[in-house]
Amino acid sequence: MAESSFDSDDRDYTEIVVVRHGETSWNAERKIQGHLDVELNDAGRQQAVRVAERLSKEPKISYVYSSDLKRAFETAQIIASKCGNLEVLTDRDLRERHLGDMQGLVYQEASKLRPEAYKAFSSNRTDVDIPGGGESLDKLYDRCTSALQRIGDKHRGERVVVVSHGGTIRSLYERACPSARKVEKILNTSVNVFRLYDGDKWTIQVWGDVSHLDQTGFLQSGFGGDRTSG
C-alpha cells in the first residue's frame, strides 16, 4: 500500500498508526511471550529508533498510546521522544493475547509440554480459552478492537500512534477487513495505518511497512498472532 497522507482539516476520521513493538530476545529464541513482561533486546531498540525517526518526519503525531508491557512501552517511549517529547498513555487492553500455559515455552516444544493448552491454541474455533488463564481469540478481538475504537472516538481529526503486539494487530486487521484472507507474520516495528471514521467504519491505508528497517534488519520469523505470540 502507498504511504498515507493525512489532512488534519478532514475531521471525519482518526488516523491511527499501529506499530508492533521491537524485537525481544524471546522473539529471537521463538519463545511464547503472551502477557509475560519481556524487555526489548539491542536489535529491538535499534528498530524502535528507526521507526521513531520515520514517524517524526511524517505528519504530526498528537498522542502516543501503548500496551503496558515493557516491550511495547519502551518502543512507544522511543517514538514519543522523537515526535515532540509526548507522554505515553498506557492501556492494558492493547496487550498481547494471554496464552495461558503456553507462555514461557519454546513454540516447538509446546505440544509435548502442554498438550491441552496447545490443542486449545491450535483450535480453529475462536471461542476456546487456553488453559492456565489464557484468552480465546474472541476475547482478544473484543478487548483490543474496543480499545482502538475508544482511541478513535476520542481523537477524531488527529493522528495517533498505538504500539501493540502481533496477535492484537492481527485482530485489528480482521476488524477492518473482515472478509479478507488471514494475515501472516506481523513483523517487529511494522507500520500499519488505520483510519477510523464516524459510524464505526475502519479502513487500512498502509499495512506491514518495514521500509525503515532496510539497514537495521528484522526477524522474518518474528512471532505475533494466533499461532505465535508477540
Side-chain angles (χ1 to χ4, degrees), residues 1 21 32 108 121 124 167 206 225:
M1 294 181 181
H21 63 79
I32 298 171
Q108 289 86 345
F121 181 62
N124 290 324
V206 176

Side-chain angles (χ1 to χ4, degrees), residues 146-162:
S146 295
L148 205 72
Q149 188 67 60
R150 288 195 302 271
I151 294 169
D153 291 343
K154 187 174 182 178
H155 297 293
R156 191 70 76 226
E158 296 179 299
R159 197 164 194 253
V160 179
V161 167
V162 167

Side-chain angles (χ1 to χ4, degrees), residues 13-18 61-67 88-95 143-164 168 172 194-198 202:
Y13 66 84
T14 308
E15 184 155 283
I16 305 181
V17 183
V18 180
I61 301 298
S62 300
Y63 293 89
V64 177
Y65 285 82
S66 177
S67 156
V88 177
L89 306 171
T90 59
D91 188 338
R92 285 177 58 92
D93 286 343
L94 296 170
R95 283 186 173 200
R143 166 167 66 79
C144 67
T145 58
S146 295
L148 205 72
Q149 188 67 60
R150 288 195 302 271
I151 294 169
D153 291 343
K154 187 174 182 178
H155 297 293
R156 191 70 76 226
E158 296 179 299
R159 197 164 194 253
V160 179
V161 167
V162 167
V163 182
S164 193
T168 306
L172 299 178
F194 292 74
R195 286 182 180 173
L196 276 59
Y197 292 81
D198 291 335
W202 292 26

Side-chain angles (χ1 to χ4, degrees), residues 55-89:
L55 294 175
S56 72
K57 298 171 185 174
E58 294 183 1
K60 179 186 174 183
I61 301 298
S62 300
Y63 293 89
V64 177
Y65 285 82
S66 177
S67 156
D68 62 336
L69 296 175
K70 291 175 184 175
R71 57 195 184 272
F73 185 68
E74 186 178 355
T75 303
Q77 285 182 308
I78 293 169
I79 292 170
S81 69
K82 294 277 189 181
C83 294
N85 289 315
L86 299 172
E87 177 186 2
V88 177
L89 306 171

